[in-house]
Amino acid sequence: MKILFVSDVSIESVIGGAERVLYEQSTRLTKRGHIVHIITRRPYISQKPYIKINGVKEFRYPIKPETPILFLLHSWMRSRAIFNALNDKKSYNCINFHQPFSSIGIIQSGALKNKKTVYTCHSLSFEEYTSRNPAPKNLLNKLSYLLNKEFRRYLEKYVIKRCDEIVVLSNYTKDKLIRNHGIPSDKINVIPGGVDILKFKPCKDKNALRKILKIPEDKVILLTIRNHVPRMGLDILIKAISVLKNRFNDFYVIIGGDGPIRKELMTLTKRLELNPWIRFEGFISEEKLPLYYQAADLFILPSKELEGFGLVTLESLSCGVPVLGTPIGGTKEILLQIDPELLFKDLTASSMADKIYKYCTIIKEKKESWDKMCINVRRFVEDNYSWDRNIDQL
């Protein structure tokens, strides 16, 4: 088949879940013999109008994000111009839209007639917008904020309703599409995300790896890797660590990732006098990512909201590292299959501290039982969440 992905993100730099899904699906479909192209906006870090990665050709259009109107116009006109030029040569069999802005100009094209169209919904655009941008207090700015939010809602619904099939990674996102956009249930296909089980695998010697990464060898290592934005709940985790250290202090926390509230989180850590227990690692490269999972004892997922699936959960489990997560969104759908005890009771720091303390004690005092659990979570991922299985369903 000749397949076109249309996205707002690029596979050149995999910095989040949306990029990961796009990269894995496009490159693995190419390995199966399909011709795969991507149309996306040009990443801010790159000026290249075209790249080829693992057989996938990615075509980029430039935008000027100074104002929402210019951003929309450039997205609409330039993505459509690239599509028209490519489609004249390739005549795609299937088009898979991944986000609304790059899609709007193409979805209106008459050239889509007789082509299969699919929309992959990672999360709802207007919810992501409100999560990342707190409502302003100024009346004029607040009006602009509300218009921006509602326009995103309308735009996404417009694109989705014109597609033949919808793909989501979890029942959590499926329910949101039904409630917010009125999409019929039988039009939505739940295809869970995956993990590269060859790349993310257990290591034989954690201590040797900890030496390389300069991580304490004799402590319980807690790891979290999150974008530093409010919805990720890192502030709750830091407060939970403040509670935990009064009951158990033989641990060390690695916080990977970066984002707009990084300084706030570091200030909170300093104010609570937690610097001896917490290390901010910053952005962790693709090459080093498996090493951090492998070196850890336990992964913490403290999300407050909008956890559509959580690929980091699978990556950690695939490395044989159990995950404790908040009972939010897709996290429940994964962890409930293993053990309900892996879910925090609620979103409070005290609840989080209680659960982490319980598992730190098991790690320290019941090694045989813990080793068995680590083996089981790896097998769980192998049986249920490989990318090959995801591609088969797609």
Side-chain angles (χ1 to χ4, degrees):
M1 290 177 63
K2 297 174 182 176
I3 303 169
L4 174 67
F5 285 87
V6 181
S7 177
D8 293 343
V9 300
S10 168
I11 63 170
E12 183 177 13
S13 179
V14 179
I15 58 175
E19 291 91 344
R20 168 59 62 201
V21 172
L22 182 65
Y23 173 84
E24 296 291 349
Q25 291 184 344
S26 61
T27 57
R28 289 173 186 272
L29 284 168
T30 298
K31 287 180 181 178
R32 296 193 180 196
H34 302 289
I35 296 171
V36 181
H37 292 173
I38 297 171
I39 293 177
T40 187
R41 59 174 176 250
R42 192 178 299 174
Y44 298 127
I45 61 172
S46 175
Q47 293 301 311
K48 298 176 183 177
Y50 164 85
I51 60 167
K52 186 174 182 180
I53 297 177
N54 293 339
V56 178
K57 296 181 179 179
E58 182 177 280
F59 301 86
R60 291 100 158 260
Y61 61 88
I63 58 167
K64 291 185 178 180
E66 288 85 354
T67 67
I69 293 176
L70 275 179
F71 178 85
L72 177 64
L73 283 174
H74 287 163
S75 299
W76 180 76
M77 295 172 62
R78 292 174 178 176
S79 64
R80 184 166 180 166
I82 293 176
F83 169 72
N84 288 337
L86 292 175
N87 189 61
D88 286 344
K89 299 176 182 177
K90 293 295 178 186
S91 188
Y92 298 104
N93 305 113
C94 177
I95 301 176
N96 188 179
F97 300 100
H98 270 236
Q99 285 93 20
F101 285 98
S102 294
S103 305
I104 182 64
I106 299 172
I107 202 74
Q108 294 178 324
S109 173
L112 288 190
K113 189 177 181 181
N114 300 322
K115 297 184 189 299
K116 186 74 173 181
T117 54
V118 181
Y119 189 93
T120 297
C121 182
H122 302 271
S123 60
L124 273 61
S125 177
F126 74 93
E127 287 188 338
E128 286 283 352
Y129 173 76
T130 54
S131 175
R132 290 176 180 272
N133 302 278
K137 296 180 180 179
N138 177 279
L139 184 60
L140 189 60
N141 291 338
K142 190 172 184 178
L143 178 61
S144 174
Y145 174 87
L146 292 173
L147 288 172
N148 203 327
K149 171 188 170 182
E150 290 308 312
F151 178 74
R152 287 170 182 267
R153 188 202 300 265
Y154 169 80
L155 181 65
E156 184 172 61
K157 182 177 180 179
Y158 179 89
V159 173
I160 289 175
K161 286 216 163 186
R162 279 155 182 76
C163 290
D164 300 313
E165 300 285 344
I166 317 300
V167 171
V168 295
L169 276 65
S170 64
N171 284 296
Y172 168 76
T173 306
K174 177 180 178 177
D175 292 341
K176 279 184 171 290
L177 283 179
I178 294 171
R179 285 199 320 270
N180 289 279
H181 294 326
I183 307 299
S185 176
D186 60 1
K187 195 177 179 180
I188 305 173
N189 305 273
V190 180
I191 303 179
V195 63
D196 187 337
I197 58 177
L198 298 179
K199 178 179 179 181
F200 295 95
K201 59 186 178 182
C203 72
K204 295 180 180 179
D205 191 342
K206 282 185 183 289
N207 284 341
L209 198 50
R210 289 177 181 181
K211 284 182 180 179
I212 294 172
L213 298 175
K214 298 180 181 179
I215 295 173
E217 297 173 46
D218 58 343
K219 296 184 181 296
V220 175
I221 302 302
L222 308 177
L223 173 69
T224 190
I225 302 172
R226 308 264 71 196
N227 288 327
H228 292 7
V229 294
R231 78 172 181 87
M232 297 301 183
L234 292 172
D235 58 327
I236 302 177
L237 175 58
I238 292 168
K239 292 172 184 176
I241 296 305
S242 181
V243 176
L244 176 66
K245 72 177 176 63
N246 294 322
R247 301 169 64 185
F248 178 90
N249 61 14
D250 198 15
F251 68 90
Y252 193 69
V253 184
I254 304 289
I255 299 179
D258 203 349
I261 65 167
R262 177 181 172 85
K263 288 185 178 179
E264 293 177 34
L265 296 172
M266 295 180 76
T267 299
L268 176 62
T269 299
K270 184 177 181 180
R271 179 167 61 82
L272 295 176
E273 300 180 345
L274 296 175
N275 286 335
W277 288 274
I278 296 178
R279 182 167 110 193
F280 287 85
E281 198 69 0
F283 177 76
I284 299 173
S285 68
E286 276 290 292
E287 295 73 22
K288 291 186 177 181
L289 196 54
L291 305 182
Y292 281 86
Y293 287 119
Q294 293 165 346
D297 291 303
L298 192 61
F299 189 91
I300 312 297
L301 194 74
S303 306
K304 294 179 182 178
E305 60 178 351
L306 306 184
E307 194 61 57
F309 185 71
L311 293 176
V312 291
T313 301
L314 296 186
E315 291 170 353
S316 183
L317 296 173
S318 188
C319 289
V321 177
V323 176
L324 298 182
T326 48
I328 300 296
T331 301
K332 290 196 297 184
E333 295 176 38
I334 299 171
L335 297 184
L336 281 176
Q337 296 179 70
I338 305 172
D339 187 347
E341 280 297 303
L342 293 174
L343 288 168
F344 295 116
K345 181 181 177 181
D346 50 44
L347 303 183
T348 62
S350 59
S351 173
M352 200 172 288
D354 287 344
K355 186 74 72 172
I356 295 173
Y357 172 72
K358 172 186 174 180
Y359 279 91
C360 283
T361 303
I362 294 173
I363 292 167
K364 278 290 187 180
E365 300 178 2
K366 300 179 180 180
K367 186 178 185 306
E368 186 176 331
S369 175
W370 185 251
D371 288 345
K372 184 178 180 180
M373 185 172 187
C374 293
I375 292 171
N376 288 341
V377 299
R378 166 66 183 186
R379 287 176 179 166
F380 167 76
V381 171
E382 290 176 331
D383 292 341
N384 297 283
Y385 288 105
S386 70
W387 277 118
D388 282 337
R389 181 170 178 156
N390 174 275
I391 300 302
D392 286 342
Q393 294 180 66
L394 184 63

